[in-house]
Amino acid sequence: MSFLLKFILAFVVGVPIQCATGSNVSAQVDREKAFITSKSTVVASKSESKSGLNKGSSEKWWRSQELSLLAVGLGVGDVDGDGKNDIVVAGPSTIHLYRFSDNNLSLITEYSSGNLEIKSLDVAKTGKNNRARIYVSAQNRGSVASFVLEYKNGALVPAVENVDYFLRVINYPTHGPILLGQKKGLSRMYDGPIFKMEDSGSSLEAKERFGVPLKIPIFGFTIGDFGGKRDPLIAVYDKEDHLRMYNPTGKRLYVSKKYFGGSDIVLRWFGPEEMRDKGKDFAMDPTYVRPRIAWWSPSKGAPAQILAISHSSTTMRMLSRTKMLEEGRVNGLNWNGDALEESWITPKAQGIVADFAIDSLAGMPGDRLIVLERKKTDWLAFLLSRSQIKIYDLQQLVTEGAKRGGKESDE
């Protein structure tokens, strides 16, 4: 397929794609196109919500109907205040709120971000908020314009807008969810320290610095008791898609040989006008949003496992602009003090694992791994992008991983 055709497709859909030529094309999502995309998605999602329950082989996992959207991010929390967790999915310019009940996923409502490009999503109850809120990292022509949504009177409405920080919620072992923020710089995408953010209800305010080394960006890290010694360690994806371990002082403990992470969501340096006039976006290597990494403990007092995304790459990651990721999965990793050992792994996805969450869901006992997959697409299917949610029993993954000796399953 020609570069021109891919460029046209990217412009219509309005998100980054990886082209065979090795260039990333990131088109601006203007209000009219976002409106058209949003309206078509509403119709598709509502019809799909009636498709009911599907399960994997031997009923080992639950999977949703296919969703007519290009998945960017996922969050889980009680957004509507009914005491049950909801599932929130972000597309390039739209937030979709789904209710999970009776093993069925149904669309409640959605919110269009207009000309803002959505880069990441978190759902959490922070501060004095009674309900979980949706924290969205977004950009507008290269500037950071993040926002916060809340559920009111049957709709998602902005609670805070035009926040000039990238936002991320991490689950800290002794404090629970903490909202973090980091600025975009002039010469570096992530500028300066990461701050704890206070959500006062109508505004977000940066407070004290969050204690991670400056070399670690806001996206793609987690902190947990991985050694079981009540001594927090930091696991982080690096820009070459390796997994690194650090202690709190910033001393590097380990770098994986295997690739982890991987994303095709590009953070803009400049708006389309500057890009067209100066060619700046094409003159430097792109900066990708590093995907989610998290921790989970199989039992009380047990060392935490690292949950990390991994992908294979058609280009063997030899081209920085075109990794062409596929066969995504989530890995459960144990830290033995010297290296990471694989405990379990989810089955391969057809395309990219865009995001995941660890939480409970109505009608499903125990902790669940909720995985958002974006199906592999070709030039025609890109206009009708489809994604899917899969839900796994984490304890079952651990048990089956132990039986297989940690080896992957291709089910």
Side-chain angles (χ1 to χ4, degrees):
M1 180 174 61
S2 69
F3 175 82
L4 178 59
L5 180 54
K6 287 193 175 184
F7 185 90
I8 294 171
L9 291 174
F11 189 84
V12 172
V13 179
V15 294
I17 64 171
Q18 295 182 329
C19 302
T21 60
S23 297
N24 286 287
V25 181
S26 183
Q28 179 68 22
V29 183
D30 59 31
R31 294 187 183 274
E32 182 177 339
K33 293 183 178 63
F35 177 82
I36 295 172
T37 303
S38 173
K39 288 299 182 183
S40 62
T41 304
V42 172
V43 175
S45 297
K46 285 183 177 178
S47 63
E48 289 166 351
S49 66
K50 300 176 182 178
S51 63
L53 173 67
N54 295 293
K55 290 188 178 181
S57 59
S58 303
E59 299 189 348
K60 292 180 180 179
W61 69 85
W62 181 96
R63 59 185 170 203
S64 72
Q65 65 276 12
E66 289 188 345
L67 309 175
S68 295
L69 57 90
L70 195 154
V72 171
L74 172 81
V76 176
D78 182 13
V79 176
D80 61 5
D82 66 353
K84 300 176 182 179
N85 280 338
D86 308 298
I87 297 177
V88 184
V89 178
S93 61
T94 310
I95 304 294
H96 308 262
L97 176 61
Y98 293 97
R99 177 175 290 118
F100 183 81
S101 180
D102 298 325
N103 286 324
N104 189 49
L105 191 71
S106 56
L107 182 67
I108 302 174
T109 187
E110 60 184 19
Y111 172 83
S112 173
S113 66
N115 63 345
L116 299 181
E117 298 177 5
I118 296 171
K119 304 300 181 181
S120 73
L121 171 74
D122 286 287
V123 176
K125 186 185 294 184
T126 63
K128 299 179 181 179
N129 299 309
N130 295 323
R131 297 181 182 179
R133 283 181 151 190
I134 303 170
Y135 298 94
V136 184
S137 291
Q139 285 190 289
N140 182 8
R141 292 179 167 83
S143 299
V144 180
S146 300
F147 58 94
V148 183
L149 297 178
E150 62 183 9
Y151 184 80
K152 282 186 176 180
N153 301 320
L156 292 175
V157 297
V160 186
E161 297 182 275
N162 297 317
V163 180
D164 60 348
Y165 285 83
F166 293 117
L167 302 176
R168 190 50 123 187
V169 175
I170 70 162
N171 183 20
Y172 197 82
T174 56
H175 294 85
I178 298 178
L179 177 62
L180 304 176
Q182 189 176 30
K183 292 269 193 176
K184 174 180 177 286
L186 296 175
S187 59
R188 296 186 303 172
M189 184 60 70
Y190 308 106
D191 187 39
I194 297 172
F195 293 97
K196 292 182 181 178
M197 306 293 290
E198 182 180 70
D199 185 350
S200 64
S202 59
S203 65
L204 296 185
E205 183 179 351
K207 293 296 185 178
E208 69 270 22
R209 176 180 169 180
F210 186 69
V212 291
L214 284 172
K215 68 183 78 174
I216 295 177
I218 190 169
F219 296 119
F221 83 92
T222 188
I223 300 176
D225 183 18
F226 304 121
K229 301 177 181 178
R230 297 184 179 275
D231 184 20
L233 297 176
I234 304 168
V236 58
Y237 303 120
D238 65 21
K239 62 182 180 180
E240 284 84 25
D241 289 350
H242 294 284
L243 188 53
R244 296 176 178 239
M245 299 291 294
Y246 292 96
N247 67 16
T249 67
K251 180 182 178 181
R252 190 180 71 189
L253 306 176
Y254 172 78
V255 181
S256 69
K257 292 183 179 179
K258 182 179 176 180
Y259 290 109
F260 289 94
S263 169
D264 60 358
I265 306 301
V266 177
L267 294 173
R268 284 187 182 275
W269 278 103
F270 308 100
E273 297 85 359
E274 291 178 284
M275 183 181 71
R276 181 174 58 251
D277 295 341
K278 302 177 182 179
K280 289 183 177 179
D281 267 0
F282 297 101
M284 58 180 66
D285 286 338
T287 301
Y288 295 96
V289 175
R290 300 183 195 181
R292 193 179 305 277
I293 182 172
W295 65 268
W296 174 75
S297 182
S299 60
K300 187 176 181 180
Q305 291 187 341
I306 298 169
L307 273 63
I309 290 171
S310 65
H311 294 96
S312 61
S313 169
T314 303
T315 63
M316 305 296 289
R317 287 179 168 82
M318 297 178 68
L319 302 175
S320 63
R321 289 182 175 271
T322 309
K323 298 177 183 180
M324 298 184 69
L325 303 172
E326 59 184 4
E327 296 183 341
R329 73 284 303 276
V330 179
N331 306 253
L333 306 168
N334 294 322
W335 173 246
N336 66 13
D338 295 308
L340 292 172
E341 299 175 338
E342 190 173 278
S343 171
W344 52 265
I345 193 167
T346 59
K348 294 177 182 177
Q350 293 183 28
I352 288 177
V353 170
D355 205 351
F356 68 88
I358 305 160
D359 218 315
S360 60
L361 290 170
M364 290 187 170
D367 291 333
R368 298 287 157 163
L369 174 65
I370 303 102
V371 181
L372 177 63
E373 299 179 358
R374 189 195 313 155
K375 298 283 188 177
K376 187 176 180 180
T377 58
D378 56 26
W379 68 272
L380 180 60
F382 195 83
L383 289 174
L384 299 171
S385 298
R386 306 189 79 79
S387 303
Q388 191 171 56
I389 294 171
K390 291 182 181 176
I391 302 173
Y392 300 87
D393 184 326
L394 272 166
Q395 288 291 354
Q396 187 177 43
L397 286 173
V398 171
T399 301
E400 294 186 353
K403 291 178 181 178
R404 295 193 305 267
K407 295 180 180 179
E408 70 180 81
S409 170
D410 288 324
E411 292 183 75

